[in-house]
Amino acid sequence: MGDRDAPAVLFLCVHNAGRSQMALGWFEHLADGRAVAWSGGSEPADAVNPTAVAAMAEVGIDIAGASPRRWTDGLLRAADVVVTMGCGDACPYVPGTRYVDWPLEDPAGRGIDAVRPIRDEIEQRVRALLLELGVPPA
């Protein structure tokens, strides 16, 4: 699951197609290998939201090859922090794990102009999370 000396984060949303994929893209870009992250959903979509892919491409981050997937118990146990984004009761809970909820708009069905502010808010939240984990953003 990665270098256990490095902080580990799991990003969760319902479809694992927009918010959690953008968060993972930002995290991997800004952590630059000094922390690990995964993403998952309770009801994974068939594909990553193309508007989220386009919004991330605008800032030089390629999430086009990502695939929505269901979270696993292994990922939940491996994570130091679980970040939930709109999955409510569908998100699993593991006692002793730190949980953070990011109430973000869902980019599903929105145009690029509406997704850009969501992307930018996710970037700021990922930067703050990395600093909390002792990993200065690259």
Side-chain angles (χ1 to χ4, degrees):
M1 299 264 167
D3 180 0
R4 285 311 298 146
D5 292 335
V9 175
L10 176 59
F11 295 104
L12 297 179
C13 67
V14 175
H15 299 294
N16 189 223
R19 294 168 288 192
S20 57
Q21 292 288 354
M22 288 192 290
L24 180 60
W26 276 119
F27 190 96
E28 289 176 339
H29 177 74
L30 296 169
D32 196 28
R34 295 168 292 138
V36 296
W38 311 280
S39 69
S42 55
E43 300 171 28
D46 293 330
V48 174
N49 178 327
T51 310
V53 171
M56 294 300 286
E58 288 181 346
V59 295
I61 299 173
D62 183 4
I63 62 169
S67 297
R69 66 187 126 188
R70 183 163 170 71
W71 51 265
T72 66
D73 290 339
L75 290 178
L76 285 166
R77 284 191 301 276
D80 298 307
V81 179
V82 174
V83 177
T84 60
M85 294 175 245
C87 52
D89 292 340
C91 281
Y93 178 75
V94 176
T97 299
R98 178 181 167 209
Y99 279 76
V100 179
D101 184 58
W102 291 355
L104 298 161
E105 295 289 325
D106 187 347
R110 296 175 185 254
I112 191 76
D113 290 337
V115 174
R116 285 182 187 119
I118 300 167
R119 173 202 65 201
D120 296 345
E121 183 174 352
I122 290 171
E123 176 191 8
Q124 294 310 309
R125 289 174 180 267
V126 168
R127 286 180 179 279
L129 178 60
L130 284 166
L131 287 172
E132 288 174 23
L133 296 172
V135 179

